[in-house]
Amino acid sequence: TVDQYKFCTSQPDAVEALARNAIAWLDAHPDRNIVSIAPSDGQNFCRCPKCVQLIESDPHGLDSHTALILKYYNDVAKIVARQRPGKFVGGLVYGKTMYPPKTSITLEPNVLLGWAPLNYYGLGLYKPGYAPEFESVASAWSKISPNLVYLNYLHWHRSESEAPLAPSLSLLKLESPTLKKLGYLGQCQAGVNWASDGVTNYILAKQMWNANVNVDALYNRSEEHTSELQSQF
């Protein structure tokens, strides 16, 4: 599985090897300004004695590997910055790294961070405790790096053949305005199945241009348009 391919980020030789590969990729793609150094999917991080020292607890009492992964991003970013000034490395904070670390850390200026909060996927913000924490967690990340984007799947489900889903208006009103206020560079979130997620995707697309757009008005407009289309058949 993909879990089996995670390497120990506390090993300098491994970090340097990955940095060399990242630089080689940038050299092979001179039109690109950023290369991903995010770990593979899955949550089976290294637990060697060095790595364990940086494992913390997240707000829900589960293991957090965020301090470990941010150190790795910085280690690679420093090498890339020395050898390829002006180029960026991109990393995700996701799953066991979705919550900010308890220890203070500032990311290197050439790190672009994608916050992908797995707990919030698939209407997760409706679960008790998650919506109230959203702004404080998003704010904490904005203090760690100004190069920050938000990645989420508001209507993500295991099956993409479900019936149409009603848009989650309260969540749409929460996420984009909060991220805009906190200075996030952008966000990417949409359902892949427009048959079920069309209205939500429509509102999200509008929010990309204006995070504070009137969500209720957009929803009512889409309902009116749907009724017009239905009357033609």
Side-chain angles (χ1 to χ4, degrees):
T1 65
V2 289
D3 277 351
Q4 295 173 327
Y5 297 98
K6 291 190 188 298
F7 66 87
C8 174
T9 57
S10 296
Q11 292 293 333
D13 290 346
V15 172
E16 290 176 8
L18 191 139
R20 287 197 301 271
N21 286 340
I23 291 169
W25 188 92
L26 287 168
D27 289 345
H29 301 82
D31 58 323
R32 308 294 178 87
N33 291 321
I34 186 169
V35 57
S36 173
I37 60 170
S40 58
D41 203 351
Q43 306 302 312
N44 190 21
F45 291 91
C46 178
R47 299 188 68 90
C48 75
K50 286 186 178 181
C51 288
V52 165
Q53 292 178 14
L54 292 177
I55 297 176
E56 302 174 329
S57 294
D58 72 17
H60 303 282
L62 302 176
D63 280 355
S64 172
H65 295 252
T66 307
L68 179 66
I69 206 68
L70 293 187
K71 179 183 182 301
Y72 152 70
Y73 289 156
N74 272 345
D75 289 344
V76 176
K78 290 173 184 176
I79 298 172
V80 173
R82 286 197 301 267
Q83 300 189 32
R84 298 297 181 273
K87 298 293 186 178
F88 283 78
V89 297
L92 288 177
V93 280
Y94 156 83
K96 289 185 178 179
T97 64
M98 69 162 278
Y99 288 101
K102 295 177 181 177
T103 53
S104 177
I105 185 170
T106 300
L107 286 183
E108 293 295 311
N110 63 325
V111 175
L112 176 67
L113 203 61
W115 178 37
L118 182 60
N119 288 359
Y120 306 157
Y121 282 16
L123 307 181
L125 283 167
Y126 279 132
K127 297 176 183 177
Y130 286 158
E133 76 177 22
F134 179 78
E135 183 166 353
S136 63
V137 177
S139 177
W141 276 118
S142 70
K143 292 177 173 63
I144 292 174
S145 174
N147 303 322
L148 189 61
V149 297
Y150 180 68
L151 310 170
N152 190 10
Y153 295 97
L154 182 61
H155 269 179
W156 178 78
H157 294 277
R158 291 292 181 182
S159 172
E160 297 298 340
S161 59
E162 70 278 358
L165 294 169
S168 311
L169 300 183
S170 63
L171 302 187
L172 289 165
K173 294 174 185 177
L174 170 66
E175 291 182 298
S176 292
T178 300
L179 299 169
K180 176 67 175 179
K181 178 177 68 175
L182 294 173
Y184 279 60
L185 298 179
Q187 67 182 96
C188 178
Q189 56 180 97
V192 298
N193 186 351
W194 277 76
S196 61
D197 304 327
V199 175
T200 294
N201 287 352
Y202 168 74
I203 296 174
L204 281 169
K206 291 290 186 179
Q207 287 181 313
M208 299 299 167
W209 295 96
N210 178 7
N212 296 308
V213 71
N214 188 317
V215 169
D216 290 323
L218 280 177
Y219 172 69
N220 292 332
R221 187 183 307 165
S222 67
E223 287 289 287
E224 293 170 3
H225 182 61
T226 299
S227 298
E228 290 175 5
L229 290 175
Q230 289 174 339
S231 66
Q232 299 175 16
F233 294 94

